[in-house]
Amino acid sequence: MTACAIEGGSAGAAATADPEAEPGVEPDPEAGPVGSGAPGKPAGAAGSGPSGPPGDAPAPPWAGSAANAGTRAEPGARPEEGRGAGTETGPGPVAAHAHGRASSADDAPAGDRPAGDAPADGTPLTGGFTLTADGAYAARLTAAPGPPGARAWYPERWTLDGPEPYAVPLPLDQPEEPDSEVAPLADGRVLIRRRVADRQMFSLLYPTGPGTGELLLGAVGRTEMTLLPPSPDGRSVYALAAGEDHASLWLVAGGAFGPEEVARIPGRCSGGVWLDRAGRMLALDRREPGGGPVKAIAVDLGRRGEVTPLLQIAPGSNDRLVLADPDSGLLLLRSDAPGHDRLGWGVLGSCLPVRFPECLRLADATMTPFAVQPDQMLMPESCAVALRIDGARGSWVGVWRPAGRQLHQFAAPLGWMPGAGNWSRDGVLRLPYANGATPCGVALLEAPEDVAPVSAAGRTGAGKGGGEPSAADTAPAVCKPVPLGQAPLHGAARPD
């Protein structure tokens, strides 16, 4: 299936009315709707499982050195029951803060990798931050204090669905390599991928008494693999092994007999976006074996990896899927169909064309969507979208709705994990952060209302030239972190 494109407006008889379309790419007369997802009703979000109370979780025994004195549990041990009160967070100073580089459209997804000395503000070095689909748990690889080149890396699990967020370190008998990857499951365990020689080793980690338990899952004979975002079912994790002429998709957690190859896809693949709540339909960005542009495809895991086209904006354009919301069908994509790389949006299965809003185009900054407001059934234009904005000042947060056509900018809390966060159904954005004063915190930001822009003459109207209003050049407002135990459901954080 295909999708045509417009820039800053609409095209075709089926499109909704906009003030005035920005001159841009002409719609393809052969274009059709964005591809549809998996049949059947969405499954509910998986619940959270057992975890250890924060008071029982020790600090890494090898903190400050490269030695690990922890213990390794026998395979098959179960996570302990119960949950404690967690670490209390409090209000504190916030500012825009950056970790790592912005993602490149030509690169496969990867966590930000630290280099050099630790930040002066005491923010822990981190090797990526991953949330479960329901936002109940998160995991990251973090480093104990130490000189560059001799830091001890260990996994850490965050519990985010209780009255207070708290972190549980999961060190083993030796530090992890900084290129390891972690992913949380809905039962509180953490999957870790380690590269050992020319193999990839997979294990599940969990807190057990004073130490860390480890359940070995198996190995895959590949030199390079990348974990995909955790499946919406809460129990499965997939990994992608990309090659020059084909890509292998592996189920590395949640299977019956350890890691197993579930699909082999012709071409060079990257990306990884879930299209449904059941964890059946997966979108990948693929370049055909013979070369050519990159196109997003849908992989049906219920049919042994059957591949169907998902995005085809123009024959020669590179069309990548960045984010998808299974509830509303909203798709966020990146394409060079307008003549240069732009962020756009469309609706899964819709006959409406893909649009490229002018307000999602900032000079000297890169924007990457990372969260969409859930439970907005049949209302894709009303969904609040959170974006990571990377520029010379660092990384900060943007909030945008397709219907409002305005970009709201906010300074991130100090030590924000850039590109990490999730929305509540009521439109409250939760941003995890850690710094020298708060080892585990969540800042809350209520999605602002969209208002019509006012011109210099006091008239309300569209942006210059009748197109969509451009983003403001002023400094972003501040997103204030507050203790979750004191936070109301609405209005927990407001811009200054």
Side-chain angles (χ1 to χ4, degrees), residues 19-383:
E20 183 176 344
E22 176 190 0
V25 63
E26 293 294 332
D28 183 357
E30 298 295 329
V34 178
S36 58
K41 64 180 181 178
S48 58
S51 64
D56 295 340
W62 34 261
S65 69
N68 186 332
T71 59
R72 185 182 298 271
E74 293 296 326
R78 303 299 301 169
E80 66 176 4
E81 300 291 336
R83 180 173 295 167
T87 303
E88 183 176 349
T89 63
V94 294
H97 188 78
H99 274 281
R101 63 178 178 85
S103 300
S104 169
D106 293 325
D107 294 338
D112 294 327
R113 296 302 180 194
D117 294 331
D121 57 23
T123 302
L125 290 171
T126 178
F129 192 92
T130 306
L131 286 158
T132 55
D134 61 0
Y137 289 102
R140 67 170 179 165
L141 198 68
T142 189
R151 293 190 179 97
W153 291 85
Y154 62 94
E156 186 177 70
R157 190 201 69 194
W158 287 33
T159 300
L160 303 173
D161 62 343
E164 295 284 347
Y166 65 89
V168 177
L170 298 172
L172 289 170
D173 55 352
Q174 63 181 11
E176 305 293 345
E177 294 296 327
D179 62 349
S180 300
E181 290 183 299
V182 293
L185 301 182
D187 62 4
R189 294 181 294 179
V190 173
L191 174 77
I192 183 168
R193 177 200 63 80
R194 305 181 180 100
R195 183 172 62 180
V196 180
D198 58 350
R199 296 182 301 165
Q200 305 293 324
M201 304 288 295
F202 297 92
S203 298
L204 290 175
L205 307 178
Y206 48 88
T208 172
T212 300
E214 180 176 23
L215 176 63
L216 301 177
L217 298 178
V220 177
R222 295 298 183 101
T223 56
E224 297 291 340
M225 294 186 79
T226 302
L227 291 183
L228 298 181
S231 171
D233 66 11
R235 62 181 183 273
S236 304
V237 180
Y238 293 81
L240 185 67
E244 291 297 331
D245 58 350
H246 75 276
S248 297
L249 188 63
W250 288 76
L251 176 63
V252 296
F257 306 104
E260 58 180 304
E261 187 178 28
V262 295
R264 183 165 293 191
I265 305 162
R268 185 173 181 83
C269 296
S270 61
V273 177
W274 292 103
L275 300 174
D276 66 341
R277 291 291 182 195
R280 173 177 170 175
M281 298 298 296
L282 175 68
L284 295 173
D285 300 327
R286 179 180 70 168
R287 191 186 302 274
E288 294 284 358
V294 176
K295 300 291 183 182
I297 59 172
V299 181
D300 190 343
L301 301 178
R303 295 187 176 182
R304 295 181 173 271
E306 180 180 275
V307 173
T308 55
L310 182 65
L311 292 177
Q312 177 71 41
I313 299 178
S317 62
N318 293 293
D319 309 321
R320 297 174 172 88
L321 186 65
V322 181
L323 197 62
D325 175 50
D327 298 332
S328 64
L330 179 64
L331 302 180
L332 283 303
L333 57 99
R334 191 179 297 277
S335 174
D336 57 8
H340 46 275
D341 196 63
R342 293 282 298 273
L343 275 178
W345 69 278
V347 179
L348 191 67
S350 172
C351 294
L352 297 177
V354 172
R355 305 181 188 183
F356 296 90
E358 181 65 20
C359 64
L360 297 185
R361 184 181 182 184
L362 290 180
D364 301 324
T366 301
M367 287 190 287
T368 306
F370 64 87
V372 179
Q373 182 181 359
D375 294 337
Q376 305 297 301
M377 299 294 184
L378 305 178
M379 297 189 298
E381 295 189 354
S382 300
C383 292

Side-chain angles (χ1 to χ4, degrees), residues 4 6 10-17 27 351-353:
C4 58
I6 59 173
S10 60
T16 56
C351 294
L352 297 177

